[in-house]
């Protein structure tokens, strides 16, 4: 039996080391299943998972749907553009519609920070048993992305036994638009929670120095940090300095849709100073892997040449690892107390 006790997955600030271990162990088991023949497990037969993506997505939504199907759950996709949102229906009433149809898990993405948490609280107040799994909200949190990044890094550093212990003491550079990135925020919780040190890197306009305190205290409303000792977080405005210390680098997308001001006047200057290329990687002491959550602005965050170099750039592995990680999350939310 596991000690899994999360009814919802909203933010990784709530995850303990045991939680990370449980998710990665289960993802390893799902990943090890034969890759030919029927890939379906009967584990969630008769259960119902709905994806409520109020903001666009390619990877997260498809990967959750595939994960649910691999576990034999019934899956329903909500499409905002052809839904009753245009008639004024609220996200809560949308969610309640799927709850009334018997949904076990609602995976929710929204451009506004806090919507998945508000839905979880509302459902709880109404006595509903449905779980909310955050598929990315505003600038706040993208837990399944950070978990698949963690899994990909663990697989890179120790393919024969990819557990969280291998992250202890590693230095992971996260470069780019930190200010607007929910992926960076979730990665900060997960990487430091597993003992890795994080160097945040980017131009000052996209990397306020307050970020070095990000994981010092739990977010408002959360009583305590379940992790006793986290890795360090530091800030570098020089890619060369950061890469010199790196064991891995995660490049982030410039989120132009979330930039209200003219924070980046010149993309060419940005890509010259902070773009990851074979040339910029020469600043590293060793060969390091390059990750990116996607979608990528080619030749801005990562050069096309490097993006196509699958020995160095792990984007395909991240996407592939998203399926067992999301299978693990769905399984834990629906049947977590049945694991031996
Ligand atoms: N990484 C990520 O969230 O990608 P999508 O927006 O395509 O889901």
């Amino acid at each position: 039996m596991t000690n899994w006790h999360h009814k919802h997955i909203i933010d990784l600030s709530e995850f303990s080391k045991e939680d990370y271990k449980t998710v990665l162990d289960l993802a390893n088991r799902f990943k090890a299943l034969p890759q030919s023949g029927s890939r379906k497990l009967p584990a969630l037969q008769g259960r119902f998972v709905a994806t409520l993506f109020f903001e666009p997505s390619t990877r997260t939504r498809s990967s959750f749907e595939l994960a649910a199907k691999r576990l034999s759950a019934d899956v329903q996709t909500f499409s905002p553009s052809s839904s009753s949102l245009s008639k004024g229906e609220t996200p809560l009433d949308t969610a309640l519609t799927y709850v009334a149809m018997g949904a076990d898990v609602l995976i929710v993405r929204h451009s506004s920070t806090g919507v998945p948490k508000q839905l979880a609280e509302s459902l709880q107040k109404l006595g509903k048993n449905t779980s909310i799994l955050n598929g990315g909200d505003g600038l706040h949190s993208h837990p399944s992305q950070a978990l698949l990044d963690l899994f990909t890094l663990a697989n890179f550093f120790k393919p024969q036994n990819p557990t969280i212990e291998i992250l202890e003491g590693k230095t992971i550079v996260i470069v780019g638009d930190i200010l607007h990135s929910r992926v960076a925020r979730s990665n900060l919780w997960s990487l430091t929670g597993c003992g890795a040190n994080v160097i945040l890197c980017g131009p000052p306009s996209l990397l306020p120095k307050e970020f070095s305190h990000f994981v010092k205290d739990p977010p408002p409303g959360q009583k305590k940090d379940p992790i006793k000792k986290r890795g360090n977080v530091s800030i570098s405005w020089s890619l060369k300095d950061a890469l010199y210390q790196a064991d891995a680098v995660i490049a982030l997308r410039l989120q132009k849709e979330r930039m209200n001001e003219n924070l980046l006047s010149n993309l060419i200057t940005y890509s010259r100073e902070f773009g990851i290329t074979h040339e910029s990687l020469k600043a590293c002491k060793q060969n390091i892997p390059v990750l990116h959550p996607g979608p990528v602005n080619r030749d801005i965050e990562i050069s096309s040449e490097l993006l196509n170099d699958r020995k160095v750039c792990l984007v395909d592995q991240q996407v592939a690892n998203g399926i067992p990680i999301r299978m693990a999350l769905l399984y834990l939310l629906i049947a977590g107390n049945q694991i031996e």
Side-chain angles (χ1 to χ4, degrees):
M1 294 289 247
T2 66
N3 285 326
W4 185 259
H5 64 276
H6 298 281
K7 176 71 194 160
H8 309 282
I9 299 174
I10 306 293
D11 188 354
L12 294 180
S13 60
E14 297 159 352
F15 264 44
S16 64
K17 278 206 171 154
E18 196 57 37
D19 292 330
Y20 291 115
K21 270 190 204 158
T22 301
V23 173
L24 261 62
D25 282 354
L26 196 52
N28 272 317
R29 284 158 70 176
F30 287 135
K31 193 175 172 175
L33 291 169
Q35 295 296 303
S36 57
S38 172
R39 298 196 203 172
K40 280 202 174 188
L41 295 175
L44 300 185
Q45 205 155 34
R47 303 305 196 121
F48 174 26
V49 173
T51 50
L52 273 57
F53 277 52
F54 299 92
E55 190 199 81
S57 163
T58 298
R59 294 153 197 77
T60 312
R61 194 179 74 180
S62 308
S63 165
F64 266 121
E65 290 179 358
L66 194 51
K69 285 176 187 170
R70 293 250 167 105
L71 294 170
S72 303
D74 295 328
V75 182
Q76 191 67 43
T77 309
F78 161 76
S79 19
S81 59
S82 58
S83 76
S84 291
L85 280 183
S86 59
K87 301 172 197 163
E89 188 158 70
T90 63
L92 177 57
D93 283 329
T94 305
L96 285 171
T97 303
Y98 284 91
V99 171
M101 289 188 230
D104 292 286
V105 181
L106 300 178
I107 301 148
V108 178
R109 171 173 287 193
H110 203 285
S111 57
S112 296
T113 289
V115 170
K117 185 163 189 247
Q118 286 159 14
L119 289 178
E121 288 170 354
S122 299
L123 293 189
Q124 240 154 280
K125 271 190 205 139
L126 293 167
K128 307 294 183 190
N129 196 32
T130 307
S131 294
I132 299 288
L133 209 171
N134 187 354
D137 64 322
L139 311 184
H140 172 229
S141 172
H142 194 345
S144 65
Q145 179 67 48
L147 291 167
L148 75 87
D149 291 344
L150 195 69
F151 190 46
T152 303
L153 286 167
N155 268 281
F156 176 85
F157 291 127
K158 203 171 182 191
Q160 67 281 20
N161 185 20
T163 55
I164 63 162
E165 286 76 14
I166 193 66
L167 271 303
E168 185 78 41
K170 291 275 192 282
T171 298
I172 313 298
V173 171
I174 304 179
V175 59
D177 183 359
I178 310 290
L179 181 64
H180 298 100
S181 177
R182 56 194 177 209
V183 175
R185 286 169 174 84
S186 286
N187 271 321
L188 276 166
W189 289 115
S190 57
L191 292 169
T192 61
C194 296
N197 301 312
V198 176
I199 302 177
L200 297 172
C201 180
S205 61
L206 297 177
L207 176 49
K209 52 180 188 300
E210 295 72 38
F211 264 92
S212 60
H213 304 299
F214 187 76
V215 293
K216 286 243 162 78
D217 295 305
Q222 185 179 320
K223 285 196 190 95
K224 66 177 198 130
D225 187 345
I227 305 272
K228 282 201 185 75
K229 189 169 172 354
R230 291 185 174 273
N232 297 320
V233 179
S234 57
I235 300 269
S236 173
W237 290 316
S238 156
L239 180 62
K240 202 171 169 186
D241 291 351
L243 286 180
Y244 183 71
Q245 302 168 67
D247 291 298
V249 58
I250 301 174
L252 299 173
R253 183 171 69 86
L254 288 179
Q255 307 213 8
K256 289 176 242 165
E257 75 277 20
R258 299 191 213 277
M259 292 183 191
N260 297 326
E261 310 120 66
N262 192 12
L263 289 170
L264 270 180
S265 48
N266 190 330
L267 287 179
I268 295 170
T269 309
Y270 175 86
S271 73
R272 196 170 54 230
E273 290 183 15
F274 294 100
I276 307 293
T277 63
H278 283 108
E279 185 58 32
S280 68
L281 290 179
K282 286 182 184 162
C284 302
K285 278 184 287 196
Q286 56 194 325
N287 292 332
I288 66 164
V290 176
L291 288 76
H292 191 301
V296 179
N297 292 305
R298 276 179 181 260
D299 296 315
I300 296 177
E301 298 121 22
I302 301 183
S303 67
S304 271
E305 200 190 2
L306 182 55
L307 200 58
N308 296 335
D309 181 350
R310 296 319 201 217
K311 284 210 253 340
V312 180
C313 190
L314 306 187
V315 289
D316 285 352
Q317 291 180 41
Q318 286 173 275
V319 171
N321 286 333
I323 299 167
I325 281 288
R326 290 173 172 126
M327 288 169 80
L329 297 179
L330 291 172
Y331 188 82
L332 285 165
L333 285 179
I334 298 175
N337 54 359
Q338 292 168 20
I339 297 176
E340 306 252 314

